Amino acid sequence: NRRSEPLVKQEERVRQSSAYGHFKTWKMLKVIVKSGDDLRSEQFAMQLIETIDLIFKKRKLKLKLQPYDILSTGVNCGIVEFISDAMSIDYIKKKMLEKTGRDMDLVDFYRIRFGSVKSQTYKNAINNLVDSLAAYSLVCYILQIKDRHNANILINQNDGGLVHIDFGFILASRLLNFETAPFKITGDIIRLLGGLEGKGFNAG
């Protein structure tokens, strides 16, 4: 089923059929062509996020971000890199509801996707969740990123980490006055981390 094919396998399959696949610099990149959106602020936000990511890596911190390419090609158009192997929390919950007929949260999803809570795969996924949650919480606080909801927070299907997208509201531009929280953390994420007193929640 090519729709569920991992990105690595898909890249290798396409590379094998490409006339330029033998070049060392060959790379497959999925993009979304957008119109009607001013991507200049998003491109600026991503440049700041990439800088913060470099700082985390230089300091050898476990904090984990996933920058992606954004290119504004005009006032109301541009190109955004598609993040493969990741789905929004909103989409995940809708799909689980369709399959089971009942509301399920991220605790259920992580157990289904990554196995038993005692397995190393599950523990690795939770560790990646912790590292990425802490990283994006800092980014949201520092850059005052607003409009955080389950449609623009993704879960990486391979490692369990969080990925934030859509950065139209940063540094108090077009400030959303009804949003007072410095970053987004939901009840099911807290439950995944073992509650407020859990090991995962206090991992830092």
Side-chain angles (χ1 to χ4, degrees), residues 107-126 192:
V107 176
D108 301 298
F109 172 75
Y110 270 72
R111 288 174 180 170
I112 293 169
R113 182 69 183 86
F114 300 106
S116 165
V117 296
K118 294 182 179 180
S119 69
Q120 192 59 49
T121 303
Y122 181 89
K123 292 177 182 178
N124 290 342
I126 295 301
L192 262 176

Side-chain angles (χ1 to χ4, degrees), residues 137-173:
S137 295
L138 281 171
V139 166
C140 287
Y141 176 73
I142 294 168
L143 301 183
Q144 300 177 51
I145 298 173
K146 303 297 182 182
D147 193 33
R148 299 295 84 198
H149 50 76
N150 285 345
N152 58 26
I153 300 177
L154 315 183
I155 301 291
N156 187 305
Q157 305 301 291
N158 295 327
D159 65 15
L162 289 180
V163 184
H164 282 235
I165 61 172
D166 294 342
F167 304 104
F169 298 89
I170 66 165
L171 298 174
S173 64

Side-chain angles (χ1 to χ4, degrees), residues 93 103-108 110-111 117 122 126 129 133 185-201:
K93 290 188 174 184
D103 287 328
M104 301 177 76
D105 64 13
L106 290 180
V107 176
D108 301 298
Y110 270 72
R111 288 174 180 170
V117 296
Y122 181 89
I126 295 301
L129 174 65
L133 174 64
I185 182 168
T186 61
D188 48 353
I189 288 179
I190 292 175
R191 287 192 294 278
L192 262 176
L193 303 183
L196 295 177
E197 301 301 322
K199 181 180 177 181
F201 194 81

Side-chain angles (χ1 to χ4, degrees), residues 2 21 25 37 40 62 65 82 118 120 125 128 136 157:
R2 289 186 177 180
T25 55
D37 285 335
R40 290 175 294 181
K62 290 176 62 181
L65 296 171
F82 178 78
K118 294 182 179 180
Q120 192 59 49
N128 288 326
Y136 279 106
Q157 305 301 291

Side-chain angles (χ1 to χ4, degrees), residues 2-194:
R2 289 186 177 180
R3 294 187 63 184
S4 59
E5 184 181 26
L7 178 61
V8 174
K9 290 186 177 180
Q10 190 178 71
E11 279 189 351
E12 181 58 24
R13 176 172 55 80
V14 175
R15 188 185 70 80
Q16 292 291 342
S17 62
S18 171
Y20 307 99
H22 60 284
F23 288 110
K24 291 182 179 180
T25 55
W26 187 94
K27 181 181 180 182
M28 186 177 76
L29 184 67
K30 296 181 180 180
V31 298
I32 301 169
V33 179
K34 302 190 74 172
S35 63
D37 285 335
D38 188 347
L39 295 179
R40 290 175 294 181
S41 64
E42 288 209 43
Q43 183 174 338
F44 174 59
M46 188 52 62
Q47 290 169 345
L48 295 175
I49 290 171
E50 287 176 342
T51 301
I52 293 172
D53 186 47
L54 288 173
I55 293 170
F56 288 164
K57 289 175 178 176
K58 187 174 183 179
R59 300 296 296 179
K60 297 181 179 180
L61 300 174
K62 290 176 62 181
L63 300 173
K64 183 178 181 180
L65 296 171
Q66 186 173 336
Y68 57 93
D69 291 328
I70 300 175
L71 178 62
S72 175
T73 57
V75 176
N76 289 305
C77 57
I79 299 172
V80 178
E81 180 182 355
F82 178 78
I83 302 176
S84 300
D85 300 328
M87 296 188 297
S88 71
I89 295 175
D90 184 59
Y91 181 82
I92 288 170
K93 290 188 174 184
K94 285 180 180 177
K95 282 299 179 182
M96 288 196 299
L97 177 60
E98 289 176 6
K99 289 184 177 181
T100 65
R102 61 188 180 89
D103 287 328
M104 301 177 76
D105 64 13
L106 290 180
V107 176
D108 301 298
F109 172 75
Y110 270 72
R111 288 174 180 170
I112 293 169
R113 182 69 183 86
F114 300 106
S116 165
V117 296
K118 294 182 179 180
S119 69
Q120 192 59 49
T121 303
Y122 181 89
K123 292 177 182 178
N124 290 342
I126 295 301
N127 287 336
N128 288 326
L129 174 65
V130 170
D131 295 343
S132 56
L133 174 64
Y136 279 106
S137 295
L138 281 171
V139 166
C140 287
Y141 176 73
I142 294 168
L143 301 183
Q144 300 177 51
I145 298 173
K146 303 297 182 182
D147 193 33
R148 299 295 84 198
H149 50 76
N150 285 345
N152 58 26
I153 300 177
L154 315 183
I155 301 291
N156 187 305
Q157 305 301 291
N158 295 327
D159 65 15
L162 289 180
V163 184
H164 282 235
I165 61 172
D166 294 342
F167 304 104
F169 298 89
I170 66 165
L171 298 174
S173 64
R174 294 181 288 167
L175 182 65
L176 300 182
N177 293 322
F178 57 85
E179 285 195 20
T180 57
F183 54 84
K184 169 100 172 183
I185 182 168
T186 61
D188 48 353
I189 288 179
I190 292 175
R191 287 192 294 278
L192 262 176
L193 303 183

